[in-house]
Amino acid sequence: MTERATIRELLLEASEAARPGRDAVRALVPTPEAGHLGALIMEIGETILPRRLTFSFGRGSELFVEAGNRRLLGIGFSGREAAERLGVDASRRSKELQSLCEILIGFVEDGSGNGLAVRSDPSSLSEGAAAGAGFSLSEIVDALQATESEAEPADEAEAAEEPEAEAAAAPETEVEPEPTLEPEEAPEAEAEIEQEPEHATAEEVGPEAEPEAAPSEDEELRAAPEEAAEQEEQPEPIEEAEPAAEPETMPAAGLGEALSRPRAMIEACEDHASVGAIASIDGKVTALRGDEDAFPIGNIATQVARQVRMNSPFLDVTMPGEFFVLMGPRSADLPSLCYFSDGEEVIVSTVSPEDLDSVLSGGAREE
Amino acid sequence: MSLDNALSTARQAVEGCDFVGYVDLELGMMLGFNASEEPSQDFTENLAAGVVNFLDSGPAVQIESDLRSATGTEAELAPYFQDIVVGGTDGLHLYLRLESEPNHVVCFVCGFAADPAGALHAARAAVAEFSGLV
């Protein structure tokens, strides 16, 4: 009895400690061999009690799966609908498995370039239902391999996917996934994601980037699209980006198009800011303005990218599309922080108290 | 004044505001709201989670810490950020901490035409009324 009471107390404590909303969405680290597809499969493989796992890529599409007992039990596309149960009807299993693989591959392809995140909620399936049917990881991995080899890469885009699908077979050798990949690889990769941009920004870049400076505003505006093109060309596997090129000096104004409110506001910030940075949504700093030693704007941009990644599932619902954020300080004499995100990169700068009004009026709409 | 009344008054005080919610950062939950149209549960849940992420997530804490060291305000205990303006292509959100209770945040969701400066000014005044209500 006392033992049971202790367990109950522990469970109650644990459930009280669980805070809905906070950390509800976790960024998943792509596995070295299998990328996002591997991370997605590993997540299912780590799920023992029945859960609804909602995977999302930045501002892109969303996919949820019912998982439990290390199996994929059902799948759906909108959180409001019930999952379609899979693998229940023996006569349809192979067809369902094939469709499932196509969905998973398509989902990962659609989201490439953004970070994969997962939200875990209680499953709508009962535990009894979760015990049987569905597909085991080894079944899914085998089928992914088969799907991939059928779809022989005919062009570059497909070729780029190949390593992912191949590597999705990695957990297959162990049938159940617990094994080698997660404990060793995942934390490492995570650490790299978080730290790599810091090296690039704080230590290497700051001092060198600074003296370049001061092209005319026209030159800077023209340089912006070229920079964007350069960034797109980079294949950007996160793990290999370590010794990456130095961030360039940030242009004075990077957004010269017809201005939406978010763009108008960030442009108003850029007009006044003495420090600023641009980072990819993965947190890699690509441009800097100001002295990083005096003001760690590169590190801040990395954190902002992380925040945007974590927030994207929520903002997709409450504020879809590009957006601007102005974070105002408690004390009126401290600088504010502002940033813009279009889901692919973030532009970050500070705003002095004197410039706050003009930034805010930059966001006023004329109807 | 009750929370419901305060929410209703706050919504009317900010021009173009369609929704006002009260979020507890510790709980990660919206404790109440007032809206011109009944919002979906999905919306309120995601809004609350978004507010928590903006103000109290790992990155938010790290950003605060970086800013504190850059501005020489490491010794201050109060949160660095007091209010957040999020401007999208078709809406404007304002998240304001209570002075007296920094873990409580009032969220204003305004439409396309809202003026950020005017809305922020009005929202700051309205938020003062929430002190001590929860």
Side-chain angles (χ1 to χ4, degrees):
Chain A
M1 158 154 182
T2 51
E3 202 170 333
R4 186 176 294 179
T6 310
I7 290 170
R8 187 168 180 280
E9 275 173 27
L10 285 173
L11 285 172
L12 278 173
E13 264 176 40
S15 68
E16 277 169 16
R19 308 163 96 180
R22 185 190 299 252
D23 297 334
V25 173
R26 285 178 291 118
L28 292 182
V29 180
T31 63
E33 315 87 329
H36 291 312
L37 190 54
L40 188 152
I41 290 172
M42 294 296 286
E43 187 66 22
I44 295 169
E46 288 172 0
T47 305
I48 297 171
L49 295 175
R51 302 293 289 173
R52 169 177 285 207
L53 303 174
T54 305
F55 296 95
S56 56
F57 273 109
R59 348 215 88 251
S61 55
E62 203 176 69
L63 173 80
F64 73 84
V65 303
E66 295 285 353
N69 200 23
R70 302 185 191 282
R71 297 171 73 84
L72 189 153
L73 306 166
I75 195 161
F77 296 95
S78 159
R80 290 183 202 89
E81 68 187 17
E84 185 185 348
R85 291 298 310 272
L86 296 177
V88 179
D89 181 346
S91 65
R92 297 182 53 200
R93 279 183 68 85
S94 65
K95 198 175 172 187
E96 283 180 348
L97 188 54
Q98 191 183 348
S99 305
L100 170 68
C101 292
E102 286 165 5
I103 289 169
L104 294 180
I105 291 171
F107 174 67
V108 169
E109 279 178 9
D110 283 351
S112 60
N114 292 316
L116 176 63
V118 65
R119 178 184 180 124
S120 175
D121 296 302
S123 170
S124 56
L125 304 178
S126 69
E127 284 196 36
F135 297 108
S136 71
L137 282 200
S138 58
E139 285 178 296
I140 296 170
V141 169
D142 285 347
L144 279 170
Q145 268 189 317
T147 306
E148 202 58 28
S149 55
E150 271 171 28
E152 282 294 16
D155 55 35
E156 276 185 28
E158 279 176 349
E161 296 302 324
E162 196 180 0
E164 250 184 29
E166 254 176 36
E172 172 230 29
T173 41
E174 292 121 13
V175 181
E176 298 300 346
E178 285 178 358
T180 48
L181 274 180
E182 6 156 9
E184 295 163 21
E185 313 270 11
E188 242 181 64
E190 195 166 18
E192 273 177 322
I193 284 180
E194 312 233 339
Q195 287 169 12
E196 164 261 310
E198 292 180 10
H199 295 306
T201 59
E203 287 157 29
E204 298 164 26
V205 183
E208 285 102 321
E210 214 180 328
E212 258 187 60
S216 76
E217 276 195 20
D218 281 354
E219 284 169 343
E220 286 161 346
L221 279 168
R222 265 181 260 118
E226 288 167 21
E227 271 189 24
E230 275 173 30
Q231 287 166 27
E232 276 172 27
E233 279 168 24
Q234 292 174 4
E236 57 90 28
I238 302 161
E239 301 81 10
E240 292 164 21
E242 196 134 23
E246 295 178 352
E248 302 190 9
T249 302
M250 187 183 171
L255 301 160
E257 308 166 16
L259 298 179
S260 62
R261 167 151 56 197
R263 286 172 187 267
M265 291 180 87
I266 192 63
E267 192 159 272
C269 281
E270 289 179 334
D271 287 345
H272 298 101
S274 57
V275 294
I278 301 178
S280 69
I281 199 67
D282 292 326
K284 183 180 162 195
V285 176
T286 54
L288 271 178
R289 183 200 300 167
D291 181 357
E292 175 74 8
D293 289 335
F295 200 102
I297 194 71
N299 286 345
I300 290 174
T302 300
Q303 293 303 325
V304 164
R306 206 175 136 213
Q307 184 173 57
V308 169
R309 286 202 308 272
M310 286 172 68
N311 238 341
S312 64
F314 311 129
L315 287 173
D316 279 348
V317 176
T318 60
M319 185 165 287
E322 59 190 29
F323 61 91
F324 168 90
V325 176
L326 176 69
M327 305 175 81
R330 171 170 282 264
S331 169
D333 54 353
L334 292 172
S336 303
L337 183 75
C338 63
Y339 64 85
F340 165 89
S341 171
D342 59 3
E344 292 177 6
E345 65 177 10
V346 294
I347 303 173
V348 184
S349 66
T350 56
V351 183
S352 67
E354 309 83 64
D355 296 327
L356 197 54
D357 281 342
S358 64
V359 168
L360 285 169
S361 28
R365 303 300 307 228
E366 288 174 18
E367 282 190 297
Chain B
M1 193 190 286
S2 69
L3 177 61
D4 283 346
N5 286 342
L7 288 165
S8 168
T9 307
R11 187 166 69 80
Q12 287 160 22
V14 178
E15 198 179 334
C17 180
D18 301 318
F19 176 102
V20 177
Y22 191 93
V23 172
D24 183 325
L25 295 178
E26 288 285 329
L27 297 173
M29 287 173 65
M30 189 165 289
L31 303 183
F33 64 81
N34 182 280
S36 53
E37 286 177 22
E38 185 71 17
S40 67
Q41 189 178 347
D42 210 22
F43 179 85
T44 54
E45 284 177 359
N46 279 286
L47 184 60
V51 171
V52 172
N53 256 338
F54 272 121
L55 287 165
D56 202 24
S57 61
V61 170
Q62 187 60 51
I63 292 167
E64 285 204 352
S65 160
D66 283 345
L67 278 169
R68 278 188 192 289
S69 58
T71 54
T73 53
E74 295 96 329
E76 287 188 16
L77 296 174
Y80 186 94
F81 294 119
Q82 178 67 18
D83 35 50
I84 309 269
V85 177
V86 186
T89 48
D90 53 6
L92 179 77
H93 292 193
L94 309 169
Y95 311 141
L96 284 77
R97 288 185 195 265
L98 299 196
E99 291 266 357
S100 56
E101 191 66 54
N103 280 327
H104 290 190
V105 177
V106 183
C107 323
F108 297 80
V109 176
C110 306
F112 172 84
D115 162 37
L120 183 60
H121 185 72
R124 279 179 179 154
V127 160
E129 302 298 321
F130 284 80
S131 205
L133 290 183
V134 176

